[in-house]
Structure formats: structure tokens, C-alpha cells
Amino acid sequence: MLTSEQLKDYDQQGYLVINDFISPAQRQVLMQRAADLIEAFEPPKKRSIFTTDEQERSSDDYFLESGSAIRFFFEEKAIDSDGQFTVSKHQSINKIGHAQHQLDPVYKAMVEELDFVAVGRELGIKKPRAIQSMHIFKQPSIGGEVGLHQDSTFLYTEPKSCIGFWLALEDATIENGCLQGLPGGHKIALKQRFKLLKNGGTEFEPLDDKPWPDQPLKLLEVPAGTLIILHGQLPHYSAANTSNRSRQAFTLHLVDEECHYPADNWLQPIASL
């Protein structure tokens, strides 16, 4: 599926952009399924907000058990100080995650149809396992910033094997918070690891204290239907959505089952079905 030139680009840059990977009809299937799940979702009194900058704050049981469930996380600006919505339910959701690729028949069928596992093998994963999925909304005007990070921080294996597949379900532009990546940054060390504490809760364990390289990020503005493949150690970022248009994306992360997946990783997925 991947050409030698694409494999070379991925090896050099740490990311790969593939246009027209998913059809308009397939995109509509995923967006409609997300809308249906949200419609059926009854928000709990305690509402879990997801931010990568303050991850510990979201590390309640609802979050930590999402590796074997389908959970809904809210935009920070969608909920006021009294815990009430500032927008409609459908506009309040930051993301759905993290096991719909196994537990929901629509997402599961689409993941199989798009055959990410085959692409993972071409990129060097000997025994690919889909470990995490997310439907990300980046809501109009309130979609939050996601700070510079490496996916292997959150999906750590020994040796490191994580690869992310980011599908643009809608156009991703600078105004609505497109991805930004550090070209070649996958060759620097993993900076930290997010893991469970023995006595409960979570922490970021420092692994490398060198600062990020002083170089500009590459704007990855892409049209709907584009696949961006991200090496697990590639530093990447997305700004807040300042536009009146959402930036929906579906992501799937693979790891290599031949690598050790530690028991103190924050995300403990459901056994393979």
C-alpha cells in the first residue's frame, strides 16, 4: 500500500500525509455514528474534561477505565464553574474514546475496512494491535489546544512501537486547529511517560529533560479524507479552534504485541476480541 518514497519520507520526517485515504461516504458513516452515540449518551453529574496539559486532573475512574469502554469527554469551555453546559450536548464533546474500535460494530467494521493493520506492518510493526481509538471533535470556538506531546508518552511499549493514524473527517486548517508536527522530531528521545501510581492516580515520569528543539512546527493543513500517520515519538501539537467550523478526526493507535506493554500504563485495553 505504501511506496518506497512514502516509506522514506516517513523514516525521515516522522510523519506521512496520504490524500484521499477515506471516501466521503466512509467519513459520513463515522460522523453519523458519533452523532448517534452522543444522542444516546446521558451525561453524568460528574463530567470528565480532557486536557493533555493537565492530565492528572482528568485521571478519575471514568477516564482510567476507558481503555475497555466507550466514554465521552467534554471540552473545558463547554462546562461552567457550576458544572452546567455552556453549549448544547452535541457541541460539548471533546472526544469519544478509547475502545470503540472493538466495542462498537460501526467503528470496528470501518477500522477493518480501512486495514490499518496492513499499513502498520508495512511501517515495521511485526504484530500490530489496535490499542486505542478516538473520535475527536475540536468544537467550533471552544475546541481546546492540545500541547506539544509524543504519543508514546501515553502508549508506551518496550521497545517503543506506537504509531498513530489520524484521519481528517473534516477539513483541517490553521483556523480550526490543524495538526502541527516537528519534522524529524521522532529521532529525539521520549521526554516523559504517563503512568499509573501504585497507590492510585497518575503521574508524568520524566525520561529526558532536554528542551524541545528550537525549530518551527510544520502546519499540516489537510482536506477531509486525508490520513496523517504519526510516529509515536514525533512531537506534535494543535492550537485551539478559533473558527466557527469543527475539525472532526478519527484516530487509531497501533502497538506491536511482540513488545512489552507495561501493567502501569494508564490505558489498560480490553483483551483482543
Side-chain angles (χ1 to χ4, degrees):
M1 296 175 70
L2 299 178
T3 67
S4 58
E5 191 64 30
Q6 287 175 317
L7 292 171
K8 180 180 177 181
D9 286 347
Y10 176 78
D11 183 62
Q12 291 179 341
Q13 302 296 323
Y15 65 87
L16 181 63
V17 178
I18 302 176
N19 295 323
D20 300 317
F21 185 85
I22 184 172
S23 72
Q26 289 170 319
R27 289 192 286 110
Q28 185 57 41
V29 166
L30 291 177
M31 290 191 289
Q32 184 59 55
R33 184 55 178 163
D36 292 344
L37 289 174
I38 294 170
E39 184 63 31
F41 168 58
E42 186 63 36
K45 291 182 179 179
K46 184 177 180 181
R47 293 160 183 171
S48 192
I49 297 170
F50 181 83
T51 67
T52 56
D53 290 325
E54 300 178 51
Q55 191 86 43
E56 291 93 341
R57 199 178 68 178
S58 298
S59 297
D60 51 30
D61 289 342
Y62 186 84
F63 173 75
L64 293 176
E65 294 170 0
S66 62
S68 57
I70 300 173
R71 297 281 162 87
F72 301 79
F73 302 93
F74 297 97
E75 291 285 359
E76 189 169 10
K77 292 182 180 179
I79 300 173
D80 65 20
S81 58
D82 296 322
Q84 302 302 311
F85 287 123
T86 62
V87 293
S88 70
K89 181 175 70 170
H90 280 270
Q91 290 181 309
S92 71
I93 303 296
N94 169 286
K95 71 173 182 177
I96 303 172
H98 292 99
Q100 60 262 43
H101 63 287
Q102 285 186 288
L103 299 178
D104 182 83
V106 176
Y107 281 99
K108 184 175 182 179
M110 187 61 69
V111 166
E112 292 174 355
E113 184 176 325
L114 295 171
D115 206 358
F116 295 103
V117 165
V119 182
R121 288 196 183 98
E122 290 193 68
L123 293 170
I125 299 180
K126 294 179 181 179
K127 192 176 181 182
R129 179 185 181 186
I131 202 81
Q132 173 184 269
S133 55
M134 297 182 287
H135 192 122
I136 303 169
F137 293 88
K138 205 74 155 178
Q139 299 287 1
S141 302
I142 64 169
E145 174 187 37
V146 178
L148 192 66
H149 68 283
Q150 299 160 294
D151 287 342
S152 287
T153 291
F154 303 98
L155 299 169
Y156 179 81
T157 63
E158 297 169 343
K160 292 179 282 294
S161 64
C162 174
I163 297 178
F165 297 83
W166 190 96
L167 273 174
L169 301 180
E170 298 179 304
D171 293 344
T173 68
I174 187 171
E175 290 81 14
N176 69 3
C178 68
L179 290 182
Q180 301 181 39
L182 187 69
H186 63 304
K187 297 178 182 179
I188 67 176
L190 186 64
K191 297 298 181 186
Q192 55 186 352
R193 181 181 162 222
F194 184 64
K195 66 177 189 178
L196 300 171
L197 291 168
K198 290 182 179 179
N199 297 323
T202 57
E203 70 168 357
F204 282 102
E205 176 189 8
L207 301 177
D208 182 86
D209 61 1
K210 297 183 183 68
W212 297 111
D214 184 18
Q215 67 183 82
L217 299 176
K218 171 74 172 178
L219 282 174
L220 299 175
E221 293 188 281
V222 298
T226 303
L227 171 66
I228 302 177
I229 303 175
L230 301 165
H231 190 286
Q233 284 175 247
L234 181 81
H236 58 284
Y237 162 89
S238 67
N241 186 352
T242 59
S243 77
N244 60 3
R245 295 180 297 110
S246 60
R247 191 224 64 186
Q248 289 194 49
F250 175 73
T251 70
L252 185 80
H253 287 89
L254 300 181
V255 296
D256 196 331
E257 279 201 287
E258 293 196 358
C259 298
H260 174 59
Y261 190 85
D264 62 353
N265 273 350
W266 79 271
L267 185 138
Q268 292 300 320
I270 192 170
S272 296
L273 299 177

